[in-house]
């Protein structure tokens, strides 16, 4: 900005110098033609003043216009910067409000997850996994109860050894965690979080929030949430456009968090339809 002002000052100085030289030329020429001796005739003074005024006024008007133009340019730039600063301040204020709300929801979500410590995993006759919540005390001989986080961790350990396991086990885990309504908290609060996060338009701020969410919720839970969101998106009827769009936003928001913070190999749990939807979203946002 200092360099620009310096250029403007130099430009004005050059114009003023040219006008000054022009006026000096007129004065010298006037003195050469009429001499330096003052006249006693008042009419001569009037004519002289009229001539000088006619010659000087346009020059002064030109300098004034140039100065006014530069003042207008400077004011316009200052107003634009003020507008940008206010816009940035407003966006940051909005971000802070959304961030605080999201962090409160995330803490509430983590508290709800940690309270679910009565999950039982058993195998059915076909070798698939049955995961259900129990609300009664353990009986002798029953499989020990686990926390929901432990079950989710087990699910991804199983996925990592999928080549050595029966397909029924993978399907059982998937149906129990992704499609089951037992763990509705894996959808309800994340749905609110995704809708709020979508309102953040500044990419850098959104990336920061995504990193915070990734560290607070964790890779495994985020993967389950994203897959549940896509499942809800698929099974929601097309005529329920608003509800379907909510689950789409939820899926895209959470898979974007994973994409920004995970290794590409971590995304192997998503099928072709899920990856195509996300790839299409990324392509549209990059153009």
């Amino acid at each position: 900005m200092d360099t620009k002002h310096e250029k403007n000052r130099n430009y004005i100085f050059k114009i003023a110098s040219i006008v000054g030289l022009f006026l000096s030329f007129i004065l010298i020429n006037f003195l050469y033609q009429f001499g330096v001796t003052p006249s006693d005739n008042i009419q001569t003074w009037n004519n002289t003043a009229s001539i000088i005024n006619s010659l000087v006024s346009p020059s002064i008007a030109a300098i004034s216009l140039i100065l006014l133009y530069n003042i207008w340019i400077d004011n316009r730039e200052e107003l634009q910067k003020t507008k940008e600063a206010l816009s940035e301040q407003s966006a940051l204020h909005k971000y802070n409000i959304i961030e605080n709300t999201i962090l409160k929801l995330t803490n509430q979500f983590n508290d709800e997850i940690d309270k679910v410590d009565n999950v039982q995993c058993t195998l059915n006759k076909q070798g698939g996994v049955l995961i259900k919540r129990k609300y009664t005390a353990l009986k002798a001989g029953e499989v020990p109860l686990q926390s929901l986080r432990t079950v989710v961790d087990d699910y991804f350990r199983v996925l990592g050894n999928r080549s050595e396991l029966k397909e029924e086990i993978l399907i059982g885990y998937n149906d129990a965690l992704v499609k089951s309504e037992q763990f509705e908290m894996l959808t309800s609060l994340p749905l609110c979080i995704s809708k709020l996060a979508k309102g953040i338009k500044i990419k850098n701020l959104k990336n920061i929030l995504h990193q915070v969410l990734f560290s607070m919720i964790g890779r495994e839970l985020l993967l389950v949430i994203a897959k549940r969101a896509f499942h809800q998106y698929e099974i929601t009827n097309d005529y329920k456009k608003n509800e379907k769009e909510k689950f789409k936003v939820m899926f895209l928001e959470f898979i974007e968090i994973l994409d920004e913070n995970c290794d590409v190999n971590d995304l192997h749990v998503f099928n072709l339809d899920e990856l195509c939807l996300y790839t299409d979203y990324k392509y549209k946002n990059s153009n």
Side-chain angles (χ1 to χ4, degrees):
M1 177 53 73
D2 291 339
T3 304
K4 192 168 184 180
H5 281 166
E6 187 66 29
K7 287 181 179 179
N8 285 337
R9 283 196 293 269
N10 291 337
Y11 175 72
I12 294 171
F13 177 76
K14 288 177 182 178
I15 296 296
S17 299
I18 293 171
V19 173
L21 289 173
F22 175 69
L23 293 175
S24 300
F25 170 76
I26 293 173
L27 180 62
I28 293 170
N29 189 53
F30 183 87
L31 293 174
Y32 177 76
Q33 293 292 331
F34 302 103
V36 295
T37 304
S39 172
D40 294 332
N41 189 342
I42 190 64
Q43 188 60 39
T44 303
W45 283 95
N46 288 335
N47 292 338
T48 302
S50 178
I51 292 170
I52 293 175
N53 183 63
S54 299
L55 293 172
V56 172
S57 293
S59 302
I60 295 176
I63 293 177
S64 299
L65 286 174
I66 292 170
L67 291 172
L68 286 172
Y69 175 75
N70 278 273
I71 291 171
W72 176 74
I73 291 291
D74 286 343
N75 287 343
R76 187 180 66 172
E77 290 177 354
E78 291 299 325
L79 286 172
Q80 181 63 28
K81 287 187 177 181
T82 302
K83 183 179 178 181
E84 289 174 359
L86 289 173
S87 177
E88 184 177 343
Q89 186 178 5
S90 175
L92 187 59
H93 179 66
K94 179 181 177 182
Y95 169 77
N96 288 332
I97 293 173
I98 293 175
E99 182 191 40
N100 290 333
T101 305
I102 286 177
L103 293 182
K104 287 179 182 178
L105 289 172
T106 304
N107 287 327
Q108 184 180 341
F109 170 74
N110 284 327
D111 289 343
E112 287 196 17
I113 294 295
D114 291 336
K115 288 176 184 176
V116 184
D117 56 0
N118 53 3
V119 181
Q120 186 178 50
C121 301
T122 57
L123 296 176
N124 63 15
K125 294 180 180 178
Q126 289 74 36
V129 178
L130 295 176
I131 303 175
K132 59 181 180 178
R133 297 180 68 175
K134 292 184 70 69
Y135 300 93
T136 57
L138 279 173
K139 297 178 182 178
E142 283 189 338
V143 178
L145 301 182
Q146 304 178 60
S147 70
L148 182 53
R149 287 187 188 274
T150 302
V151 173
V152 172
D153 290 343
D154 287 344
Y155 172 43
F156 287 99
R157 277 195 288 272
V158 166
L159 285 177
N161 299 314
R162 60 170 59 198
S163 59
E164 304 170 11
L165 297 170
K166 293 181 180 180
E167 187 66 21
E168 290 85 354
I169 292 179
L170 299 176
I171 294 173
Y173 263 108
N174 188 70
D175 290 350
L177 281 175
V178 174
K179 299 181 180 180
S180 172
E181 295 181 1
Q182 297 179 88
F183 308 112
E184 196 272 336
M185 80 285 291
L186 288 170
T187 301
S188 56
L189 285 173
L191 189 61
C192 297
I193 291 170
S194 64
K195 288 172 66 179
L196 285 167
K198 187 177 185 294
I200 300 173
K201 303 303 180 184
I202 301 176
K203 187 64 178 175
N204 291 340
L205 295 178
K206 196 166 191 176
N207 287 342
I208 293 171
L209 183 60
H210 281 176
Q211 290 174 12
V212 172
L213 288 172
F214 182 80
S215 64
M216 291 182 69
I217 297 177
R219 165 183 164 272
E220 287 76 15
L221 276 174
L222 286 168
L223 286 163
V224 170
I225 290 167
K227 289 191 71 67
R228 283 179 67 96
F230 185 83
H231 170 68
Q232 291 297 115
Y233 167 73
E234 272 194 320
I235 65 172
T236 302
N237 292 324
D238 290 336
Y239 68 84
K240 297 181 179 178
K241 292 183 179 179
N242 290 338
E243 187 174 352
K244 196 174 182 72
E245 183 64 22
K246 289 177 185 177
F247 289 116
K248 181 180 178 182
V249 167
M250 179 179 169
F251 166 73
L252 293 173
E253 198 67 41
F254 281 96
I255 194 174
E256 189 172 27
I257 295 173
L258 290 161
D259 188 25
E260 291 171 0
N261 295 280
C262 285
D263 186 273
V264 67
N265 293 324
D266 292 329
L267 302 181
H268 73 283
V269 298
F270 295 106
N271 60 39
L272 185 60
D273 290 338
E274 293 165 339
L275 292 174
C276 283
L277 180 61
Y278 178 57
T279 303
D280 182 59
Y281 163 77
K282 282 185 70 177
Y283 175 75
K284 288 179 180 177
N285 280 287
S286 64
N287 293 334

